[in-house]
Amino acid sequence: MFKLIATVMIAAGFALGGRHLAVLQKKRVSFLESIILMISTAETRLKYACLPVSDLLKILNENTALSELEFIRSCREKVCFGEPFPDAWRESIENEAEFCRLLGNSAKNLVSMGSELGSTDLDGQLSCCGYYKNLFEADLEEQREKSEKYSRLFPSMGLLLGISAAILII
């Protein structure tokens, strides 16, 4: 009886693990979509209102569509307490462990973007936004393809691994 319960638990664990990997891939896509929306919003606000970085952070923080990007709130708080924007931006992103783990090199690109925002004239900031928007759009396209492929593969592979482990135990 104990062996049967252990076998079912192991099979279920592998199946749930496969499902979890598929969910993580979808979350990666969602983060990238939010980052592109953030950059588009920043680009538009810079273009038409010539806002300083602190006001731009306030607008981004108040945008409910960007609530998934928690580093914006953290960065705004640090800037309000007098920390320089590039440092606050970098620290806020690096403190989001799950965000950095899921995005990998994209998180490094986001940190680089923060060091360039607010440090040049308006045209430089707009070209910075355009450059990073293109980078993230290319990464988003790649991650969407992976998500479509792996959203079906990971759960079934986890289930098969679970059944294989159950057969080996029995």
Side-chain angles (χ1 to χ4, degrees), residues 96-152:
E96 295 292 326
E98 180 186 15
F99 181 79
C100 290
R101 182 178 46 81
L102 279 176
L103 293 182
N105 285 337
S106 293
K108 293 175 186 174
N109 289 336
L110 194 59
V111 169
S112 298
M113 183 183 122
S115 66
E116 296 177 25
L117 273 181
S119 63
T120 61
D121 64 344
L122 181 61
D123 289 334
Q125 291 183 67
L126 290 174
S127 66
C128 169
C129 287
Y131 172 74
Y132 284 103
K133 186 176 175 183
N134 288 336
L135 276 178
F136 287 113
E137 284 175 343
D139 195 24
L140 175 63
E141 187 60 35
E142 178 185 331
Q143 294 302 326
R144 276 188 179 149
E145 289 173 10
K146 285 182 179 179
S147 182
E148 288 175 14
K149 180 171 46 171
Y150 295 141
S151 65
R152 291 183 300 257

Side-chain angles (χ1 to χ4, degrees), residues 73-94:
R73 180 186 48 78
S74 173
C75 181
R76 181 169 183 255
E77 289 172 359
K78 290 178 182 191
V79 168
C80 286
F81 286 116
E83 191 170 334
F85 172 73
D87 296 336
W89 182 265
R90 180 183 43 75
E91 289 174 12
S92 298
I93 292 171
E94 289 173 351

Side-chain angles (χ1 to χ4, degrees), residues 13-54:
F14 277 109
L16 290 175
R19 179 72 183 132
H20 178 69
L21 291 174
V23 168
L24 287 178
Q25 185 63 36
K26 287 182 181 181
K27 194 169 189 177
R28 184 176 293 128
V29 168
S30 178
F31 276 148
L32 287 168
E33 289 171 342
S34 295
I35 289 170
I36 291 171
L37 177 63
M38 176 196 69
I39 294 171
S40 296
T41 304
E43 187 175 32
T44 303
R45 293 298 181 152
L46 285 170
K47 188 180 228 176
Y48 296 109
C50 299
L51 295 175
V53 175
S54 58

Side-chain angles (χ1 to χ4, degrees), residues 1-7:
M1 180 69 174
F2 180 71
K3 194 174 189 180
L4 179 64
I5 292 173
T7 304

